[in-house]
Amino acid sequence: MAKLKKGIFGPLSGKLGAIVGATWMGIPYIRQAPKQKTDPAPRSAARLANEEKMKFVNNLLVPFHPYVNIGFANLAIAKTALNAAYSRNFHQAVTGVYPNLGVDYTKMVISTGDLPGLNNPVMALTAPDVIGLTWAHNTDARAAFDDQLMLMLYCPALKLADGFIGGVKRIDERLVYQFLPALVGKTLEVYLGLTSLNRKKIADSVYLGRIVP
């Protein structure tokens, strides 16, 4: 029960509904009353499985962050680009049910948009640590000569990604990329994206394939 020791204009002392009045070093104050602790309801198997899947996708996307932050920028409306990438890959790329979760890397997406992609890209491992890529000229009017490539190589065994964003143009029609020594001799999943020079236009990413040692 609360008391007004000096009448209605005096400081409040004690609990009154959802607030508590007290005095500290001669200064009266009020604060919200602490809520009673209740035992949380036990989580259902379905809820636990969904929570574990969410953790799984969060951890999966960590090496992809630099790429999806650009590749999903156009969908960052009332949410972040990372949130948009998370939602897409959560529903599309994850296989199985907890505790047997897996990834269909052919369905992973690092970018999405209306910009035309590269025309007939062909990938080859030209040396143990070098990937080569060629593509044909694109005559689509929406394609600009200075559109920028986004290449990502991902190693599931190491949970490590390598690649680049920009620096190679659509008009180049070929690239040679030397990747990290740590990835040599490892199975790699390779993805290709494309953005306009100002990064306001983005193309759907393409899964180029798997490099198997």
Side-chain angles (χ1 to χ4, degrees), residues 118-129:
L118 291 186
N119 187 12
N120 192 31
V122 178
M123 175 186 68
L125 188 67
T126 60
D129 62 344

Side-chain angles (χ1 to χ4, degrees), residues 174-191:
R174 66 181 61 248
L175 72 82
V176 176
Y177 183 72
Q178 185 174 22
F179 51 83
L180 294 172
L183 302 184
V184 175
K186 303 293 185 181
T187 297
L188 305 176
E189 310 291 348
V190 187
Y191 302 89

Side-chain angles (χ1 to χ4, degrees), residues 105-124:
Y105 289 103
T106 69
K107 295 182 179 179
M108 287 287 293
V109 178
I110 66 169
S111 67
T112 184
D114 297 329
L115 184 68
L118 291 186
N119 187 12
N120 192 31
V122 178
M123 175 186 68

Side-chain angles (χ1 to χ4, degrees), residues 47-121:
R47 179 180 174 184
L48 176 61
N50 191 63
E51 289 175 354
E52 291 300 323
K53 183 177 179 180
M54 292 170 65
K55 292 178 185 177
F56 181 83
V57 178
N58 274 327
N59 292 332
L60 170 67
L61 285 180
V62 170
F64 290 74
H65 283 185
Y67 305 92
V68 299
N69 276 328
I70 292 173
F72 280 80
N74 284 349
L75 297 185
I77 301 172
K79 57 185 171 183
T80 67
L82 183 57
N83 288 150
Y86 173 94
S87 178
R88 177 74 175 270
N89 288 289
F90 181 93
H91 295 289
Q92 179 170 312
V94 179
T95 64
V97 178
Y98 173 79
N100 300 309
L101 294 170
V103 182
D104 183 346
Y105 289 103
T106 69
K107 295 182 179 179
M108 287 287 293
V109 178
I110 66 169
S111 67
T112 184
D114 297 329
L115 184 68
L118 291 186
N119 187 12
N120 192 31

Side-chain angles (χ1 to χ4, degrees), residues 99-171:
N100 300 309
L101 294 170
V103 182
D104 183 346
Y105 289 103
T106 69
K107 295 182 179 179
M108 287 287 293
V109 178
I110 66 169
S111 67
T112 184
D114 297 329
L115 184 68
L118 291 186
N119 187 12
N120 192 31
V122 178
M123 175 186 68
L125 188 67
T126 60
D129 62 344
V130 176
I131 184 175
L133 186 66
T134 60
W135 58 94
H137 179 66
N138 195 324
T139 58
D140 191 310
R142 298 172 299 159
F145 75 94
D146 57 357
D147 290 335
Q148 305 286 298
L149 269 68
M150 179 165 61
L151 181 72
M152 177 182 172
L153 298 85
Y154 177 65
C155 176
L158 300 178
K159 294 181 173 56
L160 178 65
D162 189 20
F164 63 84
I165 302 170
V168 178
K169 302 175 183 178
R170 185 195 293 271
I171 199 174

